[in-house]
Amino acid sequence: MDYLKTFIIGGLICVVGQILIDKTKLTPARILVTFVVLGVFLQLIGVYQPLVDFSGAGATVPLTGFGYNLCKGVAKAVSENGFLGIFTGGITAAAGGISAALIFGFLVSVIFKSKPKK
């Protein structure tokens, strides 16, 4: 049942993104930024955590989950370090994901040869 909940919530988030791509003139980059900001906002007002508790990776893997992670990290760092936590919390919370993206991106660039678009 957990897999079904994860698939449904993650799929619904992706459907929203696809609708935005198809029905608006927003660029994909703006949609991605909107999703991250939406994740931060939803966590800030307390709506995203219950969604994460319900669906797990279905809510944490999409870009809204990245925003949720940033907001959660900032809140934790502010409670531990005060004002300085505003600047350090998000980066600390997302460091694992950012590092993995850099490392895997580098490995792919070493293994595969890039080709120009035709």
Side-chain angles (χ1 to χ4, degrees):
M1 192 63 170
D2 289 338
Y3 292 128
L4 182 63
K5 291 189 283 188
T6 299
F7 178 76
I8 289 171
I9 297 302
L12 287 174
I13 292 171
C14 293
V15 164
V16 170
Q18 190 63 50
I19 290 170
L20 289 173
I21 289 170
D22 292 343
K23 301 295 183 186
T24 68
K25 292 186 180 192
L26 292 173
T27 62
R30 288 185 178 174
I31 294 170
L32 297 177
V33 169
T34 301
F35 271 29
V36 172
V37 171
L38 184 64
V40 170
F41 180 72
L42 291 176
Q43 175 62 15
L44 191 63
I45 63 173
V47 176
Y48 209 77
Q49 185 63 50
L51 190 63
V52 169
D53 294 339
F54 175 75
S55 70
T60 58
V61 170
L63 276 173
T64 50
F66 182 69
Y68 151 80
N69 193 27
L70 290 174
C71 186
K72 192 173 166 185
V74 168
K76 180 181 176 191
V78 166
S79 68
E80 293 174 357
N81 303 326
F83 183 74
L84 187 60
I86 294 171
F87 304 105
T88 61
I91 299 299
T92 303
I98 292 170
S99 298
L102 289 172
I103 291 167
F104 290 125
F106 174 74
L107 290 175
V108 167
S109 72
V110 169
I111 295 170
F112 299 101
K113 187 173 183 173
S114 64
K115 298 175 187 171
K117 288 186 176 182
K118 294 180 183 179

